[in-house]
Amino acid sequence: MDTQRLSQTVQPLLDWFQTHARTLPWRADREPYHVWLSEIMLQQTRVEAVRGYYARFLAAAPDVFALAALPEAQLLKLWEGLGYYNRARKAQECARVIAARGGVWPDTVEGLLALPGIGPYTAGAIASICFEHPAAAVDGNVLRVCARVLDDATPIDNAAHKAALTAALSACYPAGHCGDFTQALMELGATVCLPNGAPQCGACPLRALCEAHAQGTELQFPTKPPKKPRRIEQRTVFVLQCGDRLAVCKRPARGLLAGLWQLPDVPGKLETAEALRQAEQWGVHPTGILKTAERTHIFTHVQWDLRGVWLTCAAEAPQFTWADEDALRHEIGLPTAYRQFLDLHAE
C-alpha cells in the first residue's frame, strides 16, 4: 500500500472540500445521532432520495430516546420506500442501547463497533466526523478513489484489501481535520471520481497524484468481481377491493421483507381464471377484474417479475386486514414492490 501517495492527497482534498462541499442537512452539525442516522440511510441509497426521508425521520424521532420509543409500525412507515428494512430495525436496536447509556455515544471505533448494526465504515465515519479521531470510513466511493489514485487492481470486494486500506488511510489523517478528510474522500467519489462512467478528471484535485489518470486507465478501476446473476421469481400480486377498503397482510417473520406488510400474493404468474379461483379460495368472493399490470422489482440478489391483478370483492376474508385509504397512506408501511400497485390503483 503506497501510504506516501495517500498522505499526499490530504491537503489537496481538504482545500477542495472547503469550496466544493455540498450543503447537506446532516452536515449542519456533528451530532453523532445525525451523522449515524444519515449514514444508515445512505447505505445503498442516493443522497437526493435520502433528503426527504431524513427530514421526516428527524421530525418524528429527533433523538435516540424518541427513536428507541417509536412503535415499530411507525418506524417502518417512516422507512417505507427506502428498502433494506432490517436497517431500520437495527437502527432502533442501536438507539435503545444508546438510550440506556443516557444518550452518550462511544467515541472510539471499538466502542462504536460493539453497537448493533454498526460496521467498520459507519464506525469510522462517526469516530472521525463527530469525535475527530483518525479513523477512515472506507466505502465504495473511497475504494474507487484510492484504486484510481494508486493504480491498484485488487478487487474491491477483497476484505483484507479493504482492511489494509482502512489502516493505511487512518495513518494519514490530519490532526484537527479528521472529519473533513473523511467527508472530502466521500464527496470526491460521489461527485467527481464517479462510478459507472468517465470520472471528471478535469475537476479533480487529485489528478496530479492519480496514477490511473497518468496512465489513461481510469475506466479500468476499480476492479470488480463478475456479478452473479440474480435469481428470478414470478409472483402474482392481488389488489383486493371491498367497498373502500383493500386487503393487506403480514409477510413471514423470516426471509425477504420479513414481518412487513404486503398485498396478498402467490408464486407464479396467474392467468385471469386462475386468479379468480385463488380469490375464491381466500373467501373474498370476487365480483370482477378491474385491470392487470406487469411490473418488475429488483432486490440485491433477487428479481421479482410481478403481475398485478385488481379485483372487486363482496366479502372481507378474515385472514386479511382490510385498510382504508387513510390507513394505507399514514399508518401501514408497504415495501416498494407492493406500494407500486397501490400507486397504479390510484391512477
Side-chain angles (χ1 to χ4, degrees):
M1 191 73 64
D2 190 345
T3 306
Q4 182 179 357
R5 187 175 295 272
L6 290 175
S7 68
Q8 291 173 341
T9 69
V10 174
Q11 199 57 52
L13 271 174
L14 290 176
D15 293 343
W16 172 83
F17 185 67
Q18 190 171 14
T19 56
H20 291 83
R22 289 171 294 177
T23 300
L24 300 174
W26 44 88
R27 287 180 178 164
D29 56 48
R30 299 201 176 189
E31 160 61 38
Y33 178 65
H34 297 159
V35 173
W36 165 75
L37 183 60
S38 71
E39 293 299 339
I40 297 296
M41 287 186 165
L42 286 164
Q43 293 169 17
Q44 310 291 331
T45 310
R46 294 178 300 104
V47 164
E48 291 309 313
V50 167
R51 285 179 186 268
Y53 281 99
Y54 179 79
R56 288 191 295 273
F57 207 95
L58 278 187
D63 55 37
V64 289
F65 301 101
L67 176 52
L70 209 62
E72 184 179 76
Q74 187 181 358
L75 171 72
L76 296 177
K77 183 63 178 176
L78 287 166
W79 206 267
E80 182 183 52
L82 266 178
Y84 301 94
Y85 286 84
N86 198 43
R87 289 184 297 173
R89 291 184 169 120
K90 282 289 186 183
Q92 186 170 58
E93 191 179 340
C94 180
R96 286 171 175 163
V97 172
I98 298 299
R101 291 168 49 98
V104 178
W105 288 78
D107 63 358
T108 65
V109 168
E110 294 74 21
L112 291 162
L113 284 171
L115 296 172
I118 291 187
Y121 166 76
T122 305
I126 297 171
S128 59
I129 296 170
C130 303
F131 301 111
E132 280 297 326
H133 289 316
V138 177
D139 66 352
N141 281 330
V142 175
L143 283 165
R144 181 172 60 258
V145 169
C146 293
R148 288 170 173 164
V149 167
L150 301 177
D151 194 39
D152 191 336
T154 308
I156 60 170
D157 68 333
N158 183 300
H161 170 69
K162 187 174 182 179
L165 179 60
T166 300
L169 275 172
S170 297
C172 302
Y173 265 56
H177 299 284
C178 293
D180 287 342
F181 187 54
T182 285
Q183 293 181 92
L185 275 168
M186 295 176 183
E187 192 80 346
L188 190 73
T191 63
V192 175
C193 196
L194 302 171
N196 306 319
Q200 298 174 10
C201 296
C204 181
L206 302 183
R207 62 184 176 275
L209 293 168
C210 182
E211 279 292 301
H213 180 62
Q215 302 293 330
T217 57
E218 299 97 332
L219 294 180
Q220 295 179 23
F221 298 97
T223 304
K224 299 179 182 179
K227 285 188 178 180
K228 295 180 180 178
R230 291 189 182 93
R231 184 175 76 254
I232 296 178
E233 297 180 358
Q234 295 186 330
R235 305 192 71 80
T236 299
V237 176
F238 289 80
V239 183
L240 303 175
Q241 180 177 347
C242 189
D244 64 351
R245 304 206 290 183
L246 301 180
V248 293
C249 55
K250 284 288 189 79
R251 290 185 59 78
R254 294 182 179 274
L256 189 62
L257 303 178
L260 301 180
W261 287 104
Q262 66 163 83
L263 299 175
D265 68 355
V266 295
K269 285 190 175 182
L270 303 187
E271 299 298 332
T272 300
E274 295 173 312
L276 288 169
R277 283 197 295 271
Q278 176 62 65
E280 281 289 1
Q281 290 174 13
W282 282 331
V284 298
H285 304 321
T287 57
I289 289 186
L290 297 174
K291 62 179 173 180
T292 63
E294 305 277 336
R295 290 293 184 271
T296 296
H297 188 80
I298 295 175
F299 300 95
T300 304
H301 303 297
V302 182
Q303 174 177 313
W304 278 2
D305 288 346
L306 304 168
R307 171 171 293 150
V309 179
W310 282 256
L311 297 177
T312 52
C313 307
E316 295 185 354
Q319 70 267 38
F320 301 130
T321 296
W322 295 82
D324 60 18
E325 182 180 351
D326 186 67
L328 289 167
R329 181 176 297 167
H330 300 294
E331 299 172 18
I332 294 175
L334 283 173
T336 303
Y338 298 101
R339 174 64 63 176
Q340 62 185 330
F341 291 101
L342 283 196
D343 294 341
L344 286 171
H345 181 72
E347 292 179 357

